[in-house]
Amino acid sequence: MMPNPSSIPGIDALWPLCLDIVAQRRGHAAPQQWDAHSPLAWDASQGFALRGVWDDGAVELFDLLKPVLDRPRKSKPWLIGQLGQSLDGCVATHGGDSNYVNGPEVLVHLHRLRALSDAVIVGAGTAAIDDPQLTTRHVAGAHPVRVLLDPELGLPPTLRVFSDRQAATLLACDATRAAEAANRVGADQVLGVRGLTGVEGGLNLRALTAALEARGLRVLFVEGGGVTVSRFIAQGCLDRLHLSVAPVIIGAGRPGLQLPRSAAMVDCMRPSVRIFRMGFDVLWDLDLRAEQPEAPRS
Ligand SMILES: NC(=O)c1ccc[n+]([C@@H]2O[C@H](COP(=O)([O-])OP(=O)(O)OCC3O[C@@H](n4cnc5c(N)ncnc54)[C@H](OP(=O)(O)O)[C@@H]3O)[C@@H](O)[C@H]2O)c1
């Protein structure tokens, strides 16, 4: 007998399960046995899988989120980045306006990624221009720890994240400037990272992720902007990137990815990709640890 379409579970039923998985990963809930009666199956080599009949939206969302959901409890840091960009590769106008490059579906997705991550990281440019809250207010789920990468200590202490107390906030700077940062925003909101600056080629992002790992923050979401996401990729620190392309042409705006030039096409990165429709936008899910199997080679 065909199931009654109205009784087929969808995203509303799936999302709480995703939050359960994350709560268990963080050790906030007792590990659950995903037995034969559970809507999810779990296997050590394959990770999570949906069991039974689900509607198309839930199946697609599960597929998209599975790489995040499959993170083991005590894994090394795992980083996912995102950029919402125009057809001409900009994440904001020249003046910094990015509200909104993408449609509402991508905004909800962004908040879902925050809810599934232990910490959300933004660059100083984004923090200064957007004064973001970095919460999960468009979805159910706990707020991540908010990390502002500000090695130059140029951010004003009046930013909302330093006083709204909606979630923990960490201003990340070099350990040598931690006391100075503490004077501005309070010691409890400073992450002094040993060796963050002073290395050739700019910020040492591995030192940052190690400092976050030491605080138990392992699944890290690099939300922007273009300079910051590019730095993580250039240093080989990003595992995955969600690049959401909107049907808008910004023209001479702030660029998204800015990476060192390649001499020839054969040298270019060709990460393994999956494509998801998000309203009128197209989300490219890039696995930066895997190459396209069919990548053209000379
Ligand atoms: N569409 C999206 O998905 C998305 C996501 C996040 C942000 N955004 C937009 O992206 C823009 C920011 O991105 P971005 O690539 O320019 O920067 P970013 O990656 O957020 O931060 C990078 C850096 O911030 C800089 N910085 C720039 N202005 C600053 C200021 N006023 N105070 C302190 N530090 C500052 C530093 O510059 P130096 O290296 O020169 O010292 C630093 O290298 C904003 O307009 C934001 O709205 C879009």
Side-chain angles (χ1 to χ4, degrees):
M1 197 170 73
M2 290 288 287
N4 172 359
S6 64
S7 68
I8 296 176
I11 290 173
D12 287 350
L14 175 65
W15 183 242
L17 294 172
C18 298
L19 296 178
D20 285 350
I21 291 171
V22 170
Q24 288 171 50
R25 186 191 76 216
R26 291 180 182 145
H28 296 168
Q32 186 175 330
Q33 297 303 316
W34 304 100
D35 59 24
H37 304 292
S38 151
L40 288 175
W42 185 83
D43 172 88
S45 62
Q46 303 294 320
F48 285 100
L50 288 178
R51 196 181 262 134
V53 179
W54 292 79
D55 76 16
D56 291 349
V59 170
E60 189 177 46
L61 179 63
F62 179 81
D63 211 24
L64 175 60
L65 299 179
K66 180 174 159 57
V68 192
L69 299 174
D70 282 346
R71 304 328 309 156
R73 188 164 175 184
K74 292 278 180 190
S75 68
K76 299 303 289 176
W78 186 86
L79 283 81
I80 181 166
Q82 83 84 37
L83 285 174
Q85 69 173 46
S86 60
L87 291 170
D88 53 342
C90 300
V91 296
T93 65
H94 179 71
D97 181 16
S98 62
N99 287 339
Y100 292 98
V101 176
N102 298 100
E105 296 84 355
V106 173
L107 185 63
V108 168
H109 176 62
L110 203 77
H111 283 232
R112 285 200 178 113
L113 288 181
R114 289 177 183 172
L116 299 180
S117 303
D118 299 335
V120 56
I121 302 170
V122 295
T126 298
I129 293 168
D130 294 356
D131 192 8
Q133 299 178 69
L134 303 173
T135 61
T136 58
R137 60 197 176 281
H138 290 300
V139 298
H143 308 311
V145 173
R146 306 172 292 187
V147 179
L148 280 58
L149 193 46
D150 184 23
E152 302 300 328
L153 300 187
L155 290 178
T158 49
L159 291 180
R160 286 189 282 191
V161 288
F162 293 127
S163 57
D164 67 5
R165 300 288 165 189
Q166 294 194 77
T169 299
L170 292 172
L171 187 160
C173 64
D174 194 89
T176 55
R177 300 192 70 177
E180 195 185 333
N183 280 337
R184 297 163 70 94
V185 299
D188 61 325
Q189 299 201 98
V190 173
L191 178 67
V193 180
R194 207 180 277 179
L196 179 68
T197 59
V199 290
E200 203 177 320
L203 300 177
N204 181 350
L205 296 172
R206 289 191 193 280
L208 173 69
T209 56
L212 292 171
E213 182 187 12
R215 292 188 174 225
L217 306 171
R218 296 185 177 83
V219 175
L220 309 175
F221 176 35
V222 185
E223 192 174 302
V227 169
T228 299
V229 170
S230 300
R231 284 177 175 159
F232 275 90
I233 293 178
Q235 292 185 30
C237 291
L238 214 57
D239 294 280
R240 237 172 159 99
L241 176 66
H242 284 183
L243 197 63
S244 301
V245 181
V248 59
I249 296 171
I250 292 180
R254 296 195 178 223
L257 293 181
Q258 306 144 72
L259 290 162
R261 67 176 64 155
S262 304
M265 285 309 298
V266 72
D267 302 323
C268 298
M269 291 172 71
R270 290 186 192 270
S272 176
V273 293
R274 301 185 301 164
I275 301 167
F276 295 83
R277 281 296 300 265
M278 293 244 165
F280 285 105
D281 298 348
V282 176
L283 185 152
W284 291 79
D285 170 30
L286 281 60
D287 180 352
L288 299 171
R289 302 291 181 217
E291 284 218 329
Q292 292 166 24
E294 67 283 9
R297 290 281 175 258
S298 59

